[in-house]
């Protein structure tokens, strides 16, 4: 009886290994044609920016028409990629370049700026007090930015400064927090 159980267990293990091997082979065949240099950091950052709209609890700021307002300050490779995404999803996204328009009348839920000066970030906070302000690098976070893109082990990561988000009319969802480095809580 125990010999039969042992033989059954061995057969079951072999079968599971065979299935696992097939799954791994299928995954490798799908993943190998995609090379890491097919995607640039700018592409990843633009996708992150787009996804932020769905990874934030907007509370009262949820757009009635379902279209989020993405604003950028100036022209950069990231802003151009974000504009491409916005153009492909007009039912979900409106895109504004607030440096070009020079107007603080544009509604903005998310603002991306490559500038890191403390005064610039403070001005954006004053003009758009309810917006999520995103930028580049640790210096941006220290100067008052909420989320910044950083490089960790040659990969783009998110750096979230919770102190700069406190008191805002939105909160970040756990899915976003789980993939980010929290400023002051982890060594970068």
């Amino acid at each position: 009886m125990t010999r039969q159980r042992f033989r059954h267990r061995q057969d079951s293990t072999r079968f599971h290994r065979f299935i696992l091997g097939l799954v791994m082979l299928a995954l490798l065949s799908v993943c190998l044609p995609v090379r890491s240099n097919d995607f640039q950091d700018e592409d990843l950052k633009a996708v992150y920016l787009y996804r932020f709209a769905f990874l934030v609890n907007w509370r009262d700021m949820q757009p009635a028409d379902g279209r989020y307002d993405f604003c950028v300050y100036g022209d950069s490779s990231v802003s151009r990629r974000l504009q491409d995404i916005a153009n492909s999803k007009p039912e979900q996204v409106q895109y504004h370049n607030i440096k070009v328009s020079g107007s603080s009348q544009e509604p903005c839920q998310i603002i991306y700026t490559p500038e890191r000066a403390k005064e610039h970030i403070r001005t954006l906070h004053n003009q758009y007090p309810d917006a999520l302000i995103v930028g580049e690098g640790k210096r941006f976070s220290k100067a008052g930015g909420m989320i910044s893109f950083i490089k960790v082990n040659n990969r783009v990561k998110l750096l979230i400064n919770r102190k700069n988000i406190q008191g805002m009319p939105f909160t970040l969802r756990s899915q976003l927090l789980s993939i980010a480095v929290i400023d002051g809580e982890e060594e970068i």
Side-chain angles (χ1 to χ4, degrees), residues 169-180:
F170 56 81
T171 57
L172 305 181
R173 294 189 180 175
S174 61
Q175 298 95 326
L176 182 56
L177 294 170
S178 70
I179 62 170

Side-chain angles (χ1 to χ4, degrees), residues 1 4 12 33 44 62 75 98 109 127 139 142-143 173:
M1 201 53 129
Q4 283 179 328
S12 177
L44 183 58
Q62 189 77 28
D75 186 41
I98 55 179
Q109 272 103 9
Q127 289 179 339
R139 187 172 140 209
K142 300 291 184 214
R173 294 189 180 175

Side-chain angles (χ1 to χ4, degrees), residues 29-185:
S29 67
V30 170
C31 295
L32 282 179
V34 177
R35 295 179 305 238
S36 63
N37 60 356
D38 287 347
F39 296 99
Q40 302 297 319
D41 288 348
E42 295 79 16
D43 298 317
L44 183 58
K45 291 174 184 181
V47 170
Y48 269 131
L49 284 164
Y50 169 72
R51 297 302 302 162
F52 286 163
F54 308 101
L55 294 171
V56 171
N57 292 320
W58 293 104
R59 298 182 189 147
D60 297 332
M61 293 177 45
Q62 189 77 28
D65 64 358
R67 294 172 68 195
Y68 292 94
D69 289 289
F70 288 83
C71 297
V72 298
Y73 188 85
D75 186 41
S76 69
S77 54
V78 174
S79 64
R80 287 189 296 275
R81 302 278 190 327
L82 181 59
Q83 186 174 21
D84 291 342
I85 292 171
N87 290 340
S88 70
K89 299 181 181 298
E91 68 285 350
Q92 293 179 327
V93 177
Q94 294 182 74
Y95 177 89
H96 313 281
N97 188 328
I98 55 179
K99 185 175 184 178
V100 171
S101 72
S103 168
S104 63
Q105 302 303 316
E106 301 292 350
C108 299
Q109 272 103 9
I110 298 171
I111 298 173
Y112 171 76
T113 179
E115 295 192 25
R116 300 176 186 166
K118 186 178 264 189
E119 197 55 44
H120 170 69
I121 297 167
R122 187 176 301 129
T123 299
L124 288 176
H125 275 295
N126 291 336
Q127 289 179 339
Y128 305 94
D130 297 333
L132 174 66
I133 301 176
V134 183
E136 300 280 341
K138 291 184 253 182
R139 187 172 140 209
F140 179 82
S141 177
K142 300 291 184 214
M146 298 172 186
I147 299 177
S148 59
F149 296 111
I150 58 171
K151 285 283 217 158
V152 177
N153 296 327
N154 207 28
R155 298 179 76 179
V156 173
K157 297 281 286 182
L158 305 174
L159 177 65
I160 295 176
N161 190 318
R162 284 184 161 175
K163 182 181 78 174
N164 295 339
I165 295 175
Q166 285 179 339
M168 297 303 293
F170 56 81
T171 57
L172 305 181
R173 294 189 180 175
S174 61
Q175 298 95 326
L176 182 56
L177 294 170
S178 70
I179 62 170
V181 175
I182 307 301
D183 197 7
E185 293 182 15

Side-chain angles (χ1 to χ4, degrees), residues 10-34:
Q10 277 184 323
D11 291 342
S12 177
T13 302
R14 285 185 193 144
F15 178 74
H16 285 101
R17 284 184 183 163
F18 175 74
I19 295 297
L20 182 62
L22 284 177
V23 168
M24 292 299 289
L25 184 62
L27 284 173
L28 283 173
S29 67
V30 170
C31 295
L32 282 179
V34 177

